[in-house]
Amino acid sequence: MSRKASLRNLPGFDTFFTRWKEAVMRVFRSMVTIAAMVGFALGCGEKKAKAPTYDIAGEFAKVKAARTALTDARTRLAEVRDKLAELQKLPRLTPEQSAEKTQLEAQLKEVQKVFDDAFSEDQSRLSEFLNVVLNDETLRAAPQTRQALDLYAQEALVNAQDFMDRAGDYRRAIELLETAEGYFTAVNLSPPQPLLATKEKAKAFRYITKERFDQLKKGMTEEQVKAITGTPFYANVRENEVKGRKIVSWLFNRQDGEVAGLYFEKGKLYALKWNVKE
């Protein structure tokens, strides 16, 4: 028998993907509006810009407040997840630890809900703010505009890193980072270097290369392998029972369309194939 490994059982994993999809669709709609309106504004450069009536300082204060709430919620969520993960590693729990685990599982649902709401509020505030300021010739040059773009880039980096580290989904990480980059390029601003560097890293690890594959050695731990290959895509991690032995397989897509396979037993790499079909 075989089954997919339990990445989808990670606390908040499915909610994470749902949240990401909703945010990307909202940002995508915003980007379409921004690109169209900014293009129109730049094409009508001879017209004198109207005096802004938008309270940019007041509205940006709301954006910053939403980001503070999101940061606090993320910190609390990480604390609960870490405590729960430590208990889940233990082979056997005492009655006190079992009670604590039950309590943490209940807390996780609560803090996840707080985080989801904070994330939605943060992205909504930010998208609304950017839609206004990026389409106003005067407001576009305000310092709050660049600060808001930097806030968006920071959150894009956090979520992209989550996609890579927790799910091995480099394609979606690239999409998220390119969306963030688009905000900057739409108004001729340079994107932050960390955003560009992370995008290049995601592209480099989206497919396994022969060079990285050849660095792998039998006996390596999963963490040692992951440092070379990156996190495998969650749907390509499987556990198999072979003659009473528990074998974990990681499959990696190659750019030529073929698939490489890595096989672990008791947490150590014991076999590897550049082409699983051979």
Side-chain angles (χ1 to χ4, degrees), residues 7 15 60 74 80 140 153 164 189 214 222 233 277:
L7 270 173
T15 306
F60 186 61
R74 175 175 281 121
V80 175
R140 205 179 302 149
M164 293 188 287
L189 290 175
D214 288 342
E222 292 184 354
F233 184 53
K277 295 179 181 178

Side-chain angles (χ1 to χ4, degrees), residues 8 10-27 29 81 112 115-117 119-120 123 159 163 166-167 169 172 176 234:
R8 275 203 172 274
L10 285 172
F13 187 85
D14 287 319
T15 306
F16 173 76
F17 273 91
T18 300
R19 186 174 69 247
W20 183 88
K21 290 176 183 177
E22 292 174 349
V24 167
M25 289 307 298
R26 179 167 58 248
V27 170
R29 288 191 292 268
R81 279 179 173 168
Q112 182 71 61
F115 176 81
D116 292 342
D117 291 344
F119 181 88
S120 180
Q123 294 296 288
N159 288 317
F163 270 111
R166 297 183 65 203
D169 197 336
R172 285 187 171 179
L176 187 56
Y234 72 93

